[in-house]
Amino acid sequence: MTQRPYHIETMISAKAIAARIEDLAKEIRQAYRDTDKIVVVGLLRGSFVFIADLVRELEMNVEVDFLEASSYGSGTESSREVKILKDLRGPIEGRDVLVVEDIVDTGHTLSAVLKLLQSRNPRKLETIALLDKPARREVDLKATWTGFEIPDAFVVGYGIDFAQANRNLPFIGSVVFDDEVPEAGGKA
Ligand code: PRP
């Protein structure tokens, strides 16, 4: 299948992301101030850039682990099957955990991951999402910390892909298809 031609417009610059991460890191340090070491869990694959920048701003003792989940089914189903493709390497029982997600869309992925991790009895379980698309939510859930709330646009970059491309863009961009013409008859 040939790819529809598209271009990418900057939605959130690399500078704005870095500034927001600095602020978020301060809040997280404060929230985990009574913790010797936190377990930072990145959800693959989209969070790999965000988690790398975040942990370097945290300036605390962190253990880094990863989990990969994949959800199946159409976005309109109220319950989707979320499969764990790669589980954590380490135990989290009694530990202070921070789950790092690139984007919360319908909320199914994060909801299923939290349910799984909660069943392992961590001492503390919080979440951070760089992006939040509240307009798409199907599960009542909000990350403890959110970088940016965004509209229901098709976003890429900073870890997020479009057909497995563009994850390496240093900013968040929105995909604009070149054959999409503005609606005719718009109000003057
Ligand atoms: C994306 C994103 C989140 C999830 C959010 O992952 O990274 O994990 O979807 O969607 P939801 O809130 O509707 O569940 P994706 O399955 O595309 O995998 P990837 O991270 O490997 O790109």
Side-chain angles (χ1 to χ4, degrees):
M1 202 176 83
T2 51
Q3 177 63 59
R4 278 166 81 192
Y6 67 93
H7 66 277
I8 293 166
E9 292 176 359
T10 304
M11 179 186 273
I12 307 169
S13 69
K15 212 172 149 185
I17 296 171
R20 184 73 184 117
I21 290 177
E22 247 184 68
D23 289 346
L24 289 165
K26 277 184 204 143
E27 288 180 31
I28 292 166
R29 268 204 301 275
Q30 180 64 15
Y32 286 85
R33 63 190 175 281
D34 65 343
T35 304
D36 290 340
K37 191 201 245 179
I38 67 172
V39 185
V40 182
V41 172
L43 300 195
L44 293 171
R45 289 176 262 185
S47 74
F48 78 104
V49 178
F50 182 35
I51 192 174
D53 282 347
L54 183 67
V55 293
R56 284 181 291 179
E57 278 300 325
L58 279 181
E59 292 166 11
M60 17 181 342
N61 200 2
V62 302
E63 183 173 317
V64 176
D65 208 336
F66 291 97
L67 189 143
E68 184 169 8
S70 194
S71 64
Y72 300 89
S74 92
T76 52
E77 285 171 31
S78 59
S79 89
R80 281 192 303 173
E81 194 190 349
V82 177
K83 279 200 173 124
I84 302 302
L85 304 179
K86 183 218 168 290
D87 205 341
L88 298 177
R89 290 280 295 273
I92 56 164
E93 184 169 356
R95 308 196 60 193
D96 292 341
V97 178
L98 174 67
V99 176
V100 179
E101 180 61 298
D102 53 338
I103 183 165
V104 181
D105 195 329
T106 63
H108 288 292
T109 305
L110 192 54
S111 165
V113 166
L114 288 177
K115 208 167 150 194
L116 172 73
L117 297 185
Q118 197 66 64
S119 74
R120 297 177 185 177
N121 299 316
R123 188 172 82 124
K124 189 178 172 104
L125 181 61
E126 305 291 351
T127 52
I128 180 167
L130 180 69
L131 304 177
D132 187 356
K133 265 191 202 174
R136 295 257 310 158
R137 197 72 88 254
E138 293 176 12
V139 175
D140 183 21
L141 163 154
K142 185 154 177 62
T144 319
W145 294 279
T146 295
F148 302 90
E149 270 196 13
I150 58 167
D152 185 14
F154 193 162
V155 289
V156 291
Y158 202 74
I160 301 171
D161 74 304
F162 171 37
Q164 296 308 328
N166 302 304
R167 289 194 198 268
N168 56 330
L169 292 174
F171 58 88
I172 297 289
S174 55
V175 172
V176 179
F177 290 100
D178 296 335
D179 57 6
E180 255 170 22
V181 287
E183 268 177 43
K187 291 187 191 86

